Amino acid sequence: MKSDKIKNIAVLTSGGDAPGMNAAIRAVVRSCAFYEINCIGVFRGLQGLIEGDFKVLGPRDVKYIVSKGGTILKSARSKEFVTAEGRAKAYENLKKHQIDGLIIIGGDGSFTGGLVFSKEYDIPVIGIPGTIDNDIVGTSHTIGFDTALNTAIDAIDKIRDTATSHKRLFFVEVMGRDAGHIALNTGIGAGAEEILIPEENIGLPKLLEKLKRSKASGKSSCIVVVSEGGKIGKNVFELSEYVEENLPEYDVRVSVLGHMQRGGSPSCFDRVLASRLGVKAVELLMLGKTQLMVGLINDQVDTTPLEKAIKGETSIDEELIRISDILSI
């Protein structure tokens, strides 16, 4: 499958970090080595393109990183890349290093920048979805999502122990500013009594009604999983205060899991997914493909146009919402 046209491929990670990004970097680097292509790592994302922060990477440079969270290439937001002048600097650096294709591991913001850059300078670009929020069209799972779920469930299991011991109601906030995939899945997996997500605003009166019903059914403790983008109340602390004022029989506590969900060793699923997508990204560039995102569709690695991945909106799984309602009885 060796291509005479592709001699140098650059890879970068951009936006928020996600467990499994290192596994994807490793897959790209070693695939390049397998196909006798030079791989250049770009440090600090799109900003690194502008500053020329490059390093040639070989198979031994990525040893032992498959199990590490974060990204060895670092990540950074780049306001400069939004400007035509910034992208012109990036293009000059790519020309200087004779780079024939670019692989971007990140989310929709990173893909947007990569797509504009590709169209502007005819640089082949392939995207690999790396974000714990799982909010990108064209893949059932983004790299890092599965690990974030396991991290959140492990934390909620521990919180459940203290909630049960003290007969408390805990509001547990998980990440997901615009999408409730983490909250919905971890809520079901951890047996939460209620799950609050941005896609479904049940309203404060209905929440109170459900909590009263839980109490009346004999539940002495309660876990409510809240997506950080939930639309009930301004934030989880105001929400807890409201419930405490209206349901004084509950001893209410708040736990915000925060950025711990982005860290830690990636799950086996995320390591395998990242490996599959990394290999495919390199092979697509070798075939002359561009402006595509690789993803997992029906458990098969497939492609989606970057433009569709960026502009599309993921939908919440209505079946999971139905299941959570049934199981919260």
Side-chain angles (χ1 to χ4, degrees):
M1 195 177 180
K2 189 175 185 302
S3 171
D4 294 328
K5 294 181 180 179
I6 299 290
K7 299 184 183 303
N8 301 290
I9 289 177
V11 59
L12 62 84
T13 51
S14 182
D17 62 295
M21 279 186 164
N22 279 327
I25 294 167
R26 174 179 178 270
V28 169
V29 171
R30 293 198 169 179
S31 296
C32 284
F34 180 83
Y35 288 117
E36 299 178 353
I37 296 169
N38 295 319
C39 187
I40 295 89
V42 181
F43 288 82
R44 294 177 300 109
L46 298 174
Q47 187 62 32
L49 280 182
I50 294 171
E51 297 177 5
D53 196 354
F54 297 177
K55 179 185 177 181
V56 176
L57 298 175
R60 302 289 75 81
D61 293 310
V62 292
K63 63 182 180 182
Y64 311 138
I65 70 169
V66 70
S67 62
K68 296 183 182 298
T71 162
I72 64 165
L73 292 178
K74 313 302 180 186
S75 187
R77 314 270 180 194
S78 178
K79 292 182 179 179
E80 192 177 358
F81 197 83
V82 176
T83 68
E85 293 78 12
R87 294 191 298 274
K89 290 179 186 176
Y91 177 63
E92 289 304 315
N93 283 324
L94 290 189
K95 279 204 308 182
K96 178 181 175 182
H97 290 82
Q98 298 181 317
I99 289 170
D100 305 304
L102 177 63
I103 294 174
I104 297 176
I105 307 168
D108 56 359
S110 306
F111 292 165
T112 299
L115 183 60
V116 170
F117 189 54
S118 178
K119 288 180 176 179
E120 214 165 30
Y121 292 103
D122 197 27
I123 295 290
V125 170
I126 300 294
I128 298 177
T131 168
I132 68 168
D133 290 336
N134 205 43
D135 58 351
I136 296 178
V137 169
T139 185
S140 61
H141 291 74
T142 54
I143 294 170
F145 176 56
D146 184 70
T147 305
L149 294 183
N150 288 314
T151 298
I153 282 180
D154 184 59
I156 294 171
D157 285 347
K158 291 177 171 63
I159 291 168
R160 172 75 74 181
D161 291 341
T162 192
T164 304
S165 298
H166 294 276
K167 297 184 177 182
R168 285 173 175 160
L169 185 160
F170 265 87
F171 284 98
V172 182
E173 183 185 271
V174 298
M175 291 186 117
R177 186 180 63 243
D178 301 311
H181 301 291
I182 294 177
L184 183 56
N185 283 270
T186 57
I188 292 174
E193 280 67 34
E194 298 299 336
I195 305 168
L196 305 180
I197 57 177
E199 294 88 347
E200 188 184 51
N201 184 2
I202 67 171
L204 288 169
K206 189 173 180 181
L207 174 63
L208 292 179
E209 180 187 323
K210 285 188 170 186
L211 292 175
K212 285 178 182 177
R213 192 164 62 241
S214 291
K215 193 78 169 178
S217 72
K219 292 184 179 181
S220 60
S221 65
C222 191
I223 298 289
V224 179
V225 176
V226 184
S227 178
E228 63 180 334
K231 294 180 171 62
I232 300 183
K234 292 182 179 178
N235 58 56
V236 70
F237 294 100
E238 287 192 4
L239 177 59
S240 70
E241 288 173 6
Y242 177 86
V243 170
E244 202 160 27
E245 287 171 6
N246 288 274
L247 296 175
E249 63 269 30
Y250 272 115
D251 182 13
V252 184
R253 295 289 188 274
V254 173
S255 184
V256 178
L257 301 189
H259 286 77
M260 71 158 60
Q261 294 157 91
R262 280 191 182 174
S265 182
S267 65
C268 178
F269 181 91
D270 275 329
R271 298 184 198 192
V272 174
L273 175 63
S275 299
R276 294 174 72 183
L277 299 186
V279 171
K280 185 67 172 180
V282 171
E283 291 177 345
L284 285 171
L285 287 175
M286 293 173 62
L287 292 170
K289 304 296 184 181
T290 184
Q291 297 176 21
L292 296 173
M293 184 195 79
V294 288
L296 196 65
I297 301 174
N298 297 323
D299 202 35
Q300 298 298 313
V301 176
D302 209 336
T303 61
T304 299
L306 273 179
E307 195 141 14
K308 182 178 178 181
I310 293 163
K311 293 183 178 179
E313 288 187 13
T314 57
S315 58
I316 206 72
D317 191 331
E318 296 294 334
E319 176 66 4
L320 286 184
I321 292 177
R322 189 180 74 85
I323 288 170
S324 70
D325 287 339
I326 291 172
L327 299 182
S328 64
I329 190 170

